[in-house]
Amino acid sequence: MRRLALIFTVMIALCASGFLCDKPEPKPAPSPSVAPAEASPSEECPPGQEKIEGRCVVPGGSGGKDYSGTYAYSTSDGASGQCSIAQKGESATFVFLSGRVCSPASMCAFECAAAGPSFSCANSDVVDDEGGSASNVFSFTFAEDGSAQGAGRSEYVHPGGFSKDWAYSINIKGKK
């Protein structure tokens, strides 16, 4: 669990720097991590927020759209096939169902944080009998048309000191 927290921390830093994520246009709404503001019954919420149970909140997570389903995907590193998203509130599981060779199988499943249409996903595991480990992080954002685009980074580290990392883009579309 500590490794996953570290991966998410690194992924968030890479995204904030613009390396993994496109920097969106500034919006007047606060980020989802900001506590919801109390709203009086007659008070209007700021742009980008809605009133739920008397509070102004940023739509997303458990209060927003559920993106669960099966999709087609393709990546810039040549993989394509089917993937699934199982969303529960502000968390989700993303699984490559076909088009990727995953050894062990756990490398095709990712734990994700969801904030509205944006997802940040990560996984890591020991991947060979020599103790080599792999970690993957990627993020993507759904557009109004139901397609999503994003970017990711993977790394393999062998205990003998060898390491390799690579970046890729991902396109997701066609919810089944």
Side-chain angles (χ1 to χ4, degrees), residues 86-156:
Q87 183 178 358
K88 290 184 180 175
E90 294 179 353
S91 64
T93 301
F94 179 101
V95 179
F96 287 113
L97 300 172
S98 64
R100 284 220 183 259
V101 175
C102 299
S103 180
S106 62
M107 296 309 292
C108 273
F110 299 79
E111 294 301 316
C112 307
S118 298
F119 289 73
S120 297
C121 306
N123 71 5
S124 63
D125 206 345
V126 174
V127 296
D128 59 34
D129 60 359
E130 297 176 356
S133 62
S135 59
N136 303 287
V137 295
F138 69 97
S139 60
F140 56 91
T141 301
F142 279 96
E144 291 293 322
D145 67 1
S147 66
Q149 292 186 342
R153 192 164 212 45
S154 298
E155 179 181 40
Y156 170 81

